[in-house]
Amino acid sequence: MNYIVPEVHLVRFTCPYCNTLSQQNWSNVYLYKSGDVCFLKTDKLQAEVVEEINSSTCESCGRYHIWIKGRMVQPDSSGIPLPSEDMPEEIRLIYFEAREVFAKSPRASAALLRLALQHLCQHLGGDGKNINDDIAKLVKGGLDVRIQKSLDIVRVTGNNAVHPGQLDLIDNTEISARLFSLLNFIVDAMVTQPKQIETFFKELPQGARDAIEKRDS
C-alpha cells in the first residue's frame, strides 16, 4: 500500500511506468501563439502563452510523464499499482479497466472497483448478489476486522460513486486511488496468504502433518 498518487509538481510519486515510488525531475515547456503560428519554447517569453506543459521524469526508470492543465495525459494510468498476481482473472480484468479510466473519471473507476469487489466476495464464498450480506457472512466466519473495514471502504466508496453521497470523488482523486491498494490488500490477505500457508504446511514431513491432523480431529 506504499504508493503516492502522481500530482503536478510533486517531488516524489509512484511512477505509472515502473510502479516505483521515485524522485521526479520537473521541467516546463510553453506553447506560444504568434499570428497563426504556434511554437514551443522552454523559456518564458513576452508573448501570448497558449498553454504551459509540464514534464516529470522518473529517476528510477528514466521515462517521462506529460501534464497539461495540471493533469497527467501521458501515460493515463496515474501511478495506480498493478493488480496482485493472485487476483482471480475475472476480477483482474475489471481492475485493469478501472486503472485505465482512473485519470479520466475517478468516479467511474471507483464504481468499477465496487463491481470487482462484488466478484471477489463471490470468489470468497458469497453469493455475489449483495456485497453487504457477503461481508456479513465472512465476518460470521471469523474475518479479520482489518479485512472487513477494507471491504466496507471499497463497498461504500464505490456505492457513493454512482449514488449521491458524502464523498466527492471528482475533486478528491486520492480517495478513489486508495481503493486499488485496498483491493490488492484484500486479495493478499484472503487469497495469497492462505495459499502460501498451505504450501508451507505441505512442505512439513508427512509424519508431522499426520500428527497435527490426528490432534485436531
Side-chain angles (χ1 to χ4, degrees), residues 79-204:
I80 300 301
L82 293 170
S84 165
E85 290 183 4
D86 292 314
M87 187 175 288
E89 185 61 24
E90 182 181 13
I91 301 163
R92 177 189 289 262
L93 292 175
I94 300 172
Y95 185 103
F96 272 119
E97 184 179 354
R99 193 173 185 264
E100 288 172 4
V101 303
F102 173 77
K104 299 179 179 68
S105 177
R107 186 163 53 185
S109 177
L112 282 166
L113 289 176
R114 184 184 183 278
L115 175 63
L117 179 66
Q118 187 171 350
H119 285 280
L120 180 58
C121 285
Q122 187 173 17
H123 179 82
L124 296 174
D127 59 22
K129 295 178 181 178
N130 185 297
I131 300 179
N132 202 38
D133 290 345
D134 286 346
I135 294 174
K137 181 179 178 181
L138 291 168
V139 170
K140 287 179 181 178
L143 184 69
D144 187 304
V145 67
R146 296 173 304 161
I147 312 303
Q148 172 259 308
K149 287 181 178 179
S150 298
L151 289 164
D152 279 322
I153 290 169
V154 179
R155 175 183 66 85
V156 172
T157 306
N159 189 62
N160 275 320
V162 292
H163 297 102
Q166 301 295 319
L167 301 176
D168 188 349
L169 299 180
I170 296 176
D171 293 333
N172 195 338
T173 59
E174 188 175 348
I175 293 175
S176 183
R178 234 180 264 150
L179 303 185
F180 291 91
S181 284
L182 283 173
L183 200 65
N184 275 332
F185 172 70
I186 295 165
V187 171
D188 180 69
M190 300 298 290
V191 180
T192 303
Q193 291 182 30
K195 185 173 76 172
Q196 289 176 340
I197 292 170
E198 185 63 26
T199 299
F200 296 155
F201 183 79
K202 287 179 179 178
E203 291 173 354
L204 292 175

Side-chain angles (χ1 to χ4, degrees), residues 61-78:
C61 67
R63 301 184 73 177
Y64 60 86
H65 325 97
I66 303 298
W67 306 72
I68 297 177
K69 295 182 179 178
R71 293 180 65 89
M72 184 186 287
V73 297
Q74 179 63 37
D76 61 3
S77 55
S78 300

